[in-house]
Amino acid sequence: MTQLNAISQVANGYLNEFNRLARQNQAAGMELQTECALEALAEVAHRCGYNALYEQITERKNALWLHAPMATITAGGAA
């Protein structure tokens, strides 16, 4: 597994859990944990030079306050 795929897989794990809770209107309690995890993963992506992935993770992190399900992250960072 490449670093790119590993970062995407972990980020999607957090997003999948957040999305599950959002569908049950319980995402507010998971917002901070998800935000912190995505922030760290975005930083790793940025330091590895995966700029498209960094941008995609950051977009999801910035949309957490909506408490709505979000699309998963693709390994290449394409929307």
Side-chain angles (χ1 to χ4, degrees):
M1 177 178 296
T2 66
Q3 289 175 326
L4 182 68
N5 289 335
I7 295 166
S8 295
Q9 186 177 39
V10 173
N12 281 327
Y14 279 97
L15 284 174
N16 289 338
E17 180 63 15
F18 186 85
N19 286 343
R20 184 183 68 76
L21 293 170
R23 288 184 201 97
Q24 299 170 1
N25 293 322
Q26 298 175 354
M30 189 72 173
E31 184 178 333
L32 181 60
Q33 178 182 347
T34 304
E35 180 179 2
C36 291
L38 292 180
E39 179 69 29
L41 291 166
E43 182 64 24
V44 171
H46 182 67
R47 288 183 185 208
C48 289
Y50 304 133
N51 295 327
L53 182 59
Y54 166 81
E55 290 175 17
Q56 198 175 90
I57 293 171
T58 300
E59 286 174 5
R60 300 301 190 283
K61 179 185 70 80
N62 291 337
L64 289 172
W65 66 273
L66 296 171
H67 301 153
M70 295 179 263
T72 58
I73 294 170
T74 60

